[in-house]
Structures are given as C-alpha cells and as structure tokens.
Amino acid sequence: MSSGSAGARRSGRLFEWLDRRLPIRAFLDSQLTGYYAPKNLNVWYYFGVLALLLLAAQIATGLSLAMHYKPGEATAFDSVEYIMREVPWGWLIRYAHSTGASLFFVVVYLHMFRALLYGSYRAPRELLWVLGVLTYLALMAEAFMGYVLPWGNMSFWGAQVIVNLFGTVPFVGPELVEWIRGDYAIADAILGRFFALHVIAVPLVLLLLVGLHLLALRTAGSNNPDGIEIKERRDAQGRPLDGIPFHPYHTLKDLFSVAVFLVIFAAVVFFAPAFGGLFLEPANFEPADPLSTPPHIAPAWYFAPYYAILRAVPDQRLGALAMLLAIVSFLFLPWLDRSRVRSIRYKGRLARAALAAFAISFIGLGFAGLQPPGPVQLCLARVFSLIWFAWFWLMPIHSKLDRTKHVPARVRHRRAAGV
Ligand code: HEM
C-alpha cells in the first residue's frame, strides 16, 4: 500500500470523525456543491467576494497595527511614525491597511452599482439590499473613525467638521457635540473613544451585518444580469435549469478574481500608496495642530460626493439634512423602482439615461467635493445634487414611463446578451 493512499484514508477517517461531531458534509452539500447559482454571473459579480476578502484583510492588518498604535494626543502621530520606520514590516502593514480602506470603497461602490444595473434590490431581495445599505453606513463610520486615528492635521480638522455637524440637530445639538467629544475640543477623549469603536464595536457590527447579508443572499438566491428568477424553472431533480453548482464553478471563478485583485492591490501598496494624495492626503503627514487650519479641508475621496452635497446648500442645518437624505435614499430604492423589468438589459432609453445621469452625478459630486470652494465648484455641486435627488425621488415616475423590452423566460447566452 502506498503512503499516499494511507494518508488519504487517514484524512478520510479524520473527516468522518469531525463530521459526526459537526455538520460539515451537510453544510458543504447545502452551501457549496448542492447550492445552485445562476450560470450567467459576469464580472460584476466579483465584487461581493472581493469585499469579503477586504473585510478579512482589514481585520488582520488592523489587528497588527493596534499592537503598536498608541491612542492619545501626545502619542498617536508618533506611534504611527514608529510603525512606519521602526516596526519590522510596519510600513507594509500600514500601507496595506490604508490602501485596503480605499479599495474597500472602490469595491463596494462597484458592488452597489451592479445592484443598480441588474435591479438586484427589488423583490424578493429588498432585505438583502437594506442590510447592504446598513453595512455601507457602518463602513463609513468605521472609515471616518480610522481616518482620525493617525492624528494628522487633516484627521484633526476632518473630525472637527464632521463632529460639528451634530451641532445642527435641533434642540440638543451643542450638548450632543460636547457629549461626542467628551471635551470642549477635539482632543484626547475623542481619540480614545474613536479607537475603541474603530477596533472593536464597529467591526463587530460589520461582521454581524455581513453575516446577515449573506444569509439573506442564500435565502433569496443571487439575481443575475438578465434579472430572471432561476428558481422558477427546474429539471426533474428539482435543480434550476439555469443554475450551476456554486462549487466548483463559482468558487474557481471567484478565486481568479481574487488573484487579479491581489496584483492590483500589491501594485498600489508598493508603487503608489498615497495614490496622488487620494488614499493618503499630504496634510495628514503633518501632526494635528489646532492653531493651523489647512487651507482646504477635504474629506477622503469616498465621502467627497456627500461633502459636495453638504456644501451645495447655503444653510448648514439644511445642508446636513440633505447629506443625510442623500445617503439614506438608498434604503428606499426597492420601493421607488416601479419598472416592469428588473435588469437594465430589458429597460428602455429613459431608465438607461437616468442611471447614466446618476452615475455621472456621483462622479461629478466626488470631483466637486474634493475642490476648494469657489463659484464653479458650487455650481457643479448644485446641478449634480439635483440630479442625484431627482434620480431617487422621481423614480416612481421615470421607471414607470420607461418603455421596457420583452424579458425571455430563460437566461440568455452571454454573447447574445451584450451588456
Ligand atoms: C462589507 C461589505 C459587503 C460584503 C462583504 C458583501 C458581500 C456580498 C457577497 C459575497 C455577495 C454575493 C456575491 C455577489 O453578488 O457579488 C453579495 C451580494 C449582494 N450584495 Fe453585498 N456585500 C457588501 C456590501 C453591500 C452593500 C453596501 C450593498 C448595497 C448597498 C450590497 C448589496 C448586495 C446585493 C443587492 C447583492 C445581491 C446581488 C445579486 O444577486 O445580483 N452589498 N454581497
């Protein structure tokens, strides 16, 4: 008997031993080989698994950073410098974490756009979508608090602007700001609480939300670029005709996307970690200084569209409200879209033009949010804000007026589909 077959028998026995104590086989059968996902998932379906990868990577690199980082007005900035210069491979861990944060948002924005393209937020996936939006909100809170931790000058002034926004809450605003700061100024107290929230509380919330998001996904099943429910047509064994086993087909496809993504990730970490000032801003290489306001306080690029909306409204209270509404509008999408079809492939010119205008307004607002205030910036921000809100809140009208196409009963061959 060869040593190879003895080894295989031993691992088989180990598997049997484990399976009698944990439902491993039942789990693999129901979630991998026995789970049928649509056969026509395209590249837009890579971003979910990449978001999972980034969540794991951020937790791993964040854990290493937390071992050397020291929260506190007097220590935070220096401890980050220490990580960069003295801790073995510290620069790599920190750049992987800062690059991971920005790429997380790139991936999540593309993941969300896919849902807009193919109508993945519509019934029966409303809850899946809502859980996604809540994950996005938690991710924004996580990123904002992480941004404050290095205690650079932009961390300080960014925190100043954002925390002051809570002052616009009617009646309790000033008290609320003081309560959040734990002080009369942005200082030691807020740094300590942001550190605790960033490393423990919000990651736990994120893990819980992502777990529920995946549970809802497995319950409703994946949508696909044709927007057709594959569960409705099955073979004699009850398997969806337009589905293929998740493993090995989708797992291998996902593995390919992970490999390509890691090359891009490494290229940014090694060759352009600051990414022209977008991933790490120049002002944040200087320590926090309450006496020196940077000439232009700009948020991280992934918050820039909302910041542009905030500045587009002259009244600060209304601006903060508009910014909040711009974000939470996503929650209502499943109930605003009245189109007869789900996927953009079968929508008409009006729906396509509306989605294109929304995508352009997102980029335009992002650009305006990163510019210093001025008449051109203000004009751009106002026009694009109007488009942003019109896309959401006029959707019951424009999605209904749109002339849709006939939806086939089965998913189409990729080449015939085109989009
Ligand atoms: C940490 C963040 C997130 C993780 C780890 C995550 C993970 C995933 C995974 C693994 C899938 C299945 C694969 C795929 O369809 O790409 C998925 C699907 C989905 N996600 Fe997320 N997601 C995240 C954030 C979001 C956000 C912010 C939204 C929306 C606001 C969202 C909405 C959806 C929808 C609608 C689907 C189903 C798409 C379809 O079947 O067509 N997700 N997500």
Side-chain angles (χ1 to χ4, degrees):
M1 186 179 33
S2 72
S3 63
S5 65
R9 275 229 308 276
R10 256 201 310 278
S11 52
R13 278 207 303 273
L14 176 66
F15 181 79
E16 290 302 327
W17 187 92
L18 283 170
D19 194 49
R20 263 180 268 126
R21 285 151 184 89
L22 283 174
I24 301 175
R25 186 171 283 131
F27 178 81
L28 295 180
D29 284 350
S30 67
Q31 299 304 313
L32 293 173
T33 48
Y35 174 77
Y36 278 68
K39 64 180 180 188
N40 59 337
L41 300 186
N42 56 15
V43 284
W44 285 103
Y45 280 78
Y46 282 154
F47 299 108
V49 76
L50 295 181
L52 275 179
L53 173 77
L54 279 164
L55 184 62
Q58 288 304 89
I59 291 176
T61 50
L63 191 75
S64 312
L65 289 175
M67 291 175 188
H68 301 280
Y69 172 79
K70 293 188 176 59
E73 257 180 314
T75 50
F77 188 86
D78 288 347
S79 71
V80 174
E81 285 303 303
Y82 178 76
I83 291 169
M84 292 298 288
R85 291 157 203 268
E86 304 294 336
V87 174
W89 303 105
W91 60 272
L92 181 58
I93 305 278
R94 193 212 171 191
Y95 281 158
H97 199 73
S98 59
T99 304
S102 269
L103 292 188
F104 209 150
F105 278 92
V106 172
V107 162
V108 163
Y109 282 136
L110 292 171
H111 185 68
M112 289 167 76
F113 187 64
R114 178 280 315 268
L116 304 185
L117 271 180
Y118 300 138
S120 306
Y121 49 84
R122 296 192 58 182
R125 299 182 183 80
E126 307 94 317
L127 189 60
L128 167 65
W129 170 258
V130 167
L131 286 163
V133 178
L134 296 181
T135 310
Y136 173 52
L137 291 176
L139 201 63
M140 290 206 272
E142 178 71 350
F144 166 63
M145 287 185 282
Y147 189 78
V148 176
L149 296 183
W151 211 237
N153 212 22
M154 201 55 102
S155 306
F156 178 86
W157 288 97
Q160 186 83 13
V161 171
I162 300 300
V163 173
N164 276 347
L165 283 182
F166 289 89
T168 60
V169 174
F171 308 114
V172 292
E175 290 78 14
L176 186 63
V177 171
E178 208 175 296
W179 180 73
I180 293 171
R181 284 193 306 233
D183 199 334
Y184 298 109
I186 298 284
D188 217 46
I190 200 163
L191 199 48
R193 49 188 72 175
F194 274 16
F195 179 61
L197 291 169
H198 181 78
V199 301
I200 300 175
V202 186
L204 284 180
V205 171
L206 272 172
L207 286 173
L208 177 75
L209 286 172
V210 169
L212 291 175
H213 185 65
L214 296 182
L215 201 62
L217 175 76
R218 282 296 154 105
T219 310
S222 277
N223 182 34
N224 59 74
D226 273 323
I228 294 167
E229 280 310 332
I230 64 157
K231 284 178 182 168
E232 281 168 10
R233 273 161 226 276
R234 298 174 185 267
D235 65 11
Q237 280 81 42
R239 293 181 297 230
L241 286 172
D242 285 321
I244 43 171
F246 188 76
H247 179 75
Y249 299 106
H250 287 299
T251 41
L252 273 179
K253 203 162 153 243
D254 285 346
L255 217 59
F256 169 74
S257 72
V258 167
V260 173
F261 177 77
L262 286 179
V263 174
I264 298 170
F265 187 84
V268 178
V269 168
F270 290 116
F271 298 108
F275 214 73
L278 274 182
F279 290 6
L280 290 169
E281 281 101 343
N284 239 24
F285 288 95
E286 290 163 27
D289 185 352
L291 297 177
S292 144
T293 317
H296 164 48
I297 302 179
W301 69 267
Y302 37 82
F303 293 137
Y306 303 115
Y307 190 60
I309 294 176
L310 170 76
R311 290 194 300 176
V313 185
D315 178 80
Q316 208 204 9
R317 180 165 287 170
L318 287 178
L321 205 64
M323 185 173 90
L324 190 70
L325 182 67
I327 304 171
V328 298
S329 293
F330 281 108
L331 283 173
F332 301 97
L333 217 47
W335 299 278
L336 293 172
D337 188 347
R338 304 276 166 85
S339 174
R340 280 171 290 274
V341 302
R342 222 184 248 147
S343 166
I344 195 81
R345 282 184 179 173
Y346 305 106
K347 286 187 178 166
R349 287 213 184 102
L350 183 58
R352 285 169 184 239
L355 183 59
F358 175 72
I360 293 170
S361 78
F362 175 83
I363 297 168
L365 282 169
F367 173 76
L370 292 174
Q371 304 307 311
V376 178
Q377 176 276 333
L378 188 64
C379 180
L380 280 179
R382 286 186 175 160
V383 171
F384 287 129
S385 301
L386 282 179
I387 297 177
W388 178 286
F389 287 113
W391 183 74
F392 277 107
W393 296 101
L394 296 182
M395 191 173 283
I397 300 168
H398 65 70
S399 64
K400 195 109 198 172
L401 288 180
D402 184 44
R403 287 164 64 113
T404 56
K405 296 179 202 153
H406 170 70
V407 182
R410 299 267 315 269
V411 304
R412 290 195 297 170
H413 193 269
R414 203 167 148 243
R415 199 168 300 174
V419 184

